[in-house]
Amino acid sequence: MAFLAAALLAVIIFIRPQEFIPGLANLKLINVTVLLGMLGVAYEFGTGSQKDASTPQLKFILPYLAWCFISTFTRLKLDAFS
């Protein structure tokens, strides 16, 4: 299920159907697709088809997420470090 959501996310990012189908313009398709992917991952962990959460990219993902939070707090000028 998570694989299907990842494939749908790739289609939405590259084809951008919301730009030429007026009915989809009001929907936040990327947010819906990411939520669908997160639900798919939760479903796979819940059913036991996915047992290990670690990936080879985990050592790159965690510093990247930390950098995203730091840069967001810096840009918004929030005093998050006090």
Side-chain angles (χ1 to χ4, degrees):
M1 185 168 168
F3 177 77
L4 294 175
L8 181 62
L9 183 61
V11 167
I12 288 174
I13 288 173
F14 290 117
I15 296 178
R16 298 180 187 172
Q18 68 272 18
E19 291 183 1
F20 59 87
I21 300 174
L24 297 177
N26 294 332
L27 297 176
K28 303 295 184 193
L29 289 178
I30 291 181
N31 295 339
V32 171
T33 309
V34 170
L35 178 65
L36 182 64
M38 292 171 61
L39 290 174
V41 169
Y43 174 77
E44 288 177 359
F45 276 116
T47 59
S49 62
Q50 182 76 21
K51 295 186 183 0
D52 190 16
S54 66
T55 65
Q57 295 84 8
L58 191 62
K59 61 184 174 186
F60 300 115
I61 293 172
L62 293 178
Y64 177 72
L65 287 175
W67 178 258
C68 289
F69 282 118
I70 290 169
S71 63
T72 301
F73 287 139
T74 304
R75 185 171 177 107
L76 294 176
K77 297 180 179 154
L78 295 176
D79 194 10
F81 299 106
S82 62

